[in-house]
Amino acid sequence: MPGIDFVRLSFAMIYSFLPYRFTVIGNSRLGKTIKESMVHDHPSDVRYFSYVDVAAFLDPNEQIDFEKLKFRGINDVVLAIDKRERDDNVDGQILDLIRTGLRVISDKDFYGEVFEKIPVDSITKSWFLEKFINSTSLIDSITKRLLDIFVAIVGLLAVSPLFILIAILIKLTSKGKVFFVQPRQGRFDRPFKMYKFRTMTQSESRQDASGGFTKVGDARVTLIGKILRPLHLDELPQLINILFGDMSIVGPRPEAYAFAKRMAGEIDLYSMRYLVRPGLTGHAQIMCGYMMDTLEDTVTKIEFDLYYILKRNVVLDLRIMIRTFFIVLKSVLRPNSNAR
């Protein structure tokens, strides 16, 4: 649905005064969630949208004059109809609705474009895989890989003096290796070794990532680590992973291998996030930050990751990279206590 995304991003100021008007037809669980979000939750993006109620679409006793929907200023009609409710009569009404010239879209697609995430409790693996196949483009894949190689090479050349300085400071301020190497889950579930500058004492740098999140004043973090982590400079060696093809500049963040295996057994759609290369930064990170490794928080991150996987393109990657830059800049001024 490029129309909604274009309008929301390019004419946000206009639509803050003249919201994008839509209606929901049907009674699916996701359709109800969309309506409730517009009325009660008020997330930031919702201010550009205005829900308009109409008569029940599935009630055979109700006759909807679809032409009148145009005069009510409605831009989109969201179909929120469960499969068990579909029949020839309903399909006929949908056809009449399309003939009016109004844009008709599914509740899943609309939800994704508004909230920039995919509701995992409302989709199946078969639905996601079909969408993934249709969204896969050879040209986009080649362009993304070339962009990764270019950024990795330029980045490594640009920060090579900083690499040397950081390595020296790590050796001078603590005992142990310069790099922290940890098994992470990669594309197609293949493990790879991810590189970071070591920011904890050698005894606390756990390969299974079971040492826990750092907090303000955490004694496990080294002196140089207290500088590197807020600035995310400890992540710079991952440019090597990107150059080798283990990672991409943008993608779902790679999880520790043991944790990823556990989540795959608890969350049905978890393995879908590994259909693409993991990233140095990602859509989930800019939308919800570095959350805790709980089941509930992992589901939240997956919803944003799945949205990125289906919508991935160079323009979206550049947008995420720019937003990441400003987030890191903000963290310099106000260090994030949950930085990993």
Side-chain angles (χ1 to χ4, degrees):
M1 285 183 359
I4 285 184
D5 195 47
F6 176 80
V7 169
R8 178 162 55 86
L9 295 175
S10 303
F11 298 100
M13 184 173 294
I14 295 176
Y15 273 76
S16 65
F17 298 100
L18 184 64
Y20 196 89
R21 295 166 66 84
F22 74 97
T23 189
V24 177
I25 290 180
N27 299 305
S28 71
R29 181 172 60 178
L30 187 56
K32 294 177 181 178
T33 298
I34 292 172
K35 290 187 285 188
E36 290 172 357
S37 297
M38 298 297 156
V39 177
H40 302 296
D41 294 346
H42 301 296
S44 58
D45 286 330
V46 166
R47 66 181 180 274
Y48 304 129
F49 294 82
S50 177
Y51 167 67
V52 179
D53 195 19
V54 298
F57 183 75
L58 299 176
D59 189 343
N61 298 319
E62 292 282 355
Q63 296 295 324
I64 301 177
D65 187 344
F66 296 125
E67 289 292 342
K68 288 185 178 180
L69 295 180
K70 286 186 176 181
F71 294 102
R72 298 184 66 178
I74 292 177
N75 303 99
D76 280 353
V77 177
V78 181
L79 286 182
I81 303 173
D82 290 329
K83 287 185 178 180
R84 61 178 180 274
E85 297 176 314
R86 294 289 292 267
D87 56 29
D88 292 339
N89 180 59
V90 172
D91 289 340
Q93 292 188 71
I94 294 175
L95 182 59
D96 290 339
L97 183 57
I98 294 173
R99 285 170 176 161
T100 66
L102 291 168
R103 184 186 290 116
V104 181
I105 55 179
S106 73
D107 50 359
K108 298 179 182 65
D109 287 335
F110 185 83
Y111 183 93
E113 292 299 339
V114 174
F115 300 103
E116 296 192 7
K117 60 182 180 178
I118 303 295
V120 295
D121 60 348
S122 298
I123 65 172
T124 61
K125 277 186 178 179
S126 58
W127 178 90
F128 184 83
L129 288 173
E130 183 177 353
K131 288 281 188 180
F132 176 79
I133 292 171
N134 292 332
S135 68
T136 301
S137 165
L138 179 60
I139 294 177
D140 284 343
S141 298
I142 293 174
T143 303
K144 181 177 176 64
R145 182 60 189 140
L146 290 176
L147 179 63
D148 284 342
I149 294 172
F150 174 78
V151 173
I153 292 175
V154 172
L156 286 169
L157 291 175
V159 301
S160 56
L162 185 59
F163 258 64
I164 298 173
L165 177 61
I166 292 174
I168 294 173
L169 291 175
I170 290 175
K171 295 299 291 185
L172 290 176
T173 55
S174 65
K175 295 181 179 180
K177 299 179 180 179
V178 169
F179 294 107
F180 171 54
V181 182
Q182 185 185 61
R184 295 276 175 136
Q185 187 87 315
R187 189 184 186 192
F188 304 142
D189 296 334
R190 296 168 184 161
F192 70 97
K193 294 180 179 179
M194 191 186 78
Y195 301 102
K196 299 176 69 173
F197 283 121
R198 181 175 57 82
T199 58
M200 289 187 177
T201 58
Q202 185 71 19
S203 61
E204 294 292 349
S205 297
R206 304 282 295 276
Q207 282 202 339
D208 59 0
S210 61
F213 284 76
T214 58
K215 300 178 181 179
V216 176
D218 198 317
R220 300 175 300 167
V221 180
T222 62
L223 179 62
I224 186 62
K226 293 177 181 179
I227 300 173
L228 297 180
R229 294 175 75 94
L231 299 176
H232 297 276
L233 293 177
D234 58 321
E235 309 280 357
L236 286 179
Q238 289 164 43
L239 290 171
I240 300 172
N241 289 119
I242 294 169
L243 186 61
F244 289 166
D246 296 323
M247 294 176 60
S248 176
I249 296 296
V250 179
R253 280 295 292 164
E255 300 284 7
Y257 189 70
F259 175 80
K261 285 297 183 183
R262 179 163 61 86
M263 288 296 103
E266 297 188 32
I267 304 173
D268 187 44
L269 288 160
Y270 184 82
S271 60
M272 299 296 102
R273 74 193 301 270
Y274 294 106
L275 291 173
V276 298
R277 287 186 180 91
L280 178 63
T281 184
H283 180 58
Q285 276 60 52
I286 66 172
M287 296 300 288
C288 56
Y290 286 82
M291 303 176 73
M292 299 295 287
D293 287 340
T294 64
L295 181 61
E296 185 176 293
D297 286 348
T298 300
V299 170
T300 299
K301 289 188 290 186
I302 287 175
E303 291 186 328
F304 288 111
D305 285 335
L306 296 186
Y307 172 83
Y308 169 78
I309 291 170
L310 294 185
K311 301 294 180 180
R312 66 198 186 284
N313 56 60
V314 174
V315 174
L316 180 57
D317 281 6
L318 291 174
R319 174 188 165 196
I320 292 172
M321 291 164 65
I322 292 171
R323 292 184 66 179
T324 299
F325 170 78
F326 285 105
I327 289 172
V328 172
L329 186 62
K330 181 180 178 180
S331 71
V332 173
L333 304 175
R334 298 174 61 184
N336 186 351
S337 61
N338 286 333
R340 297 187 70 177

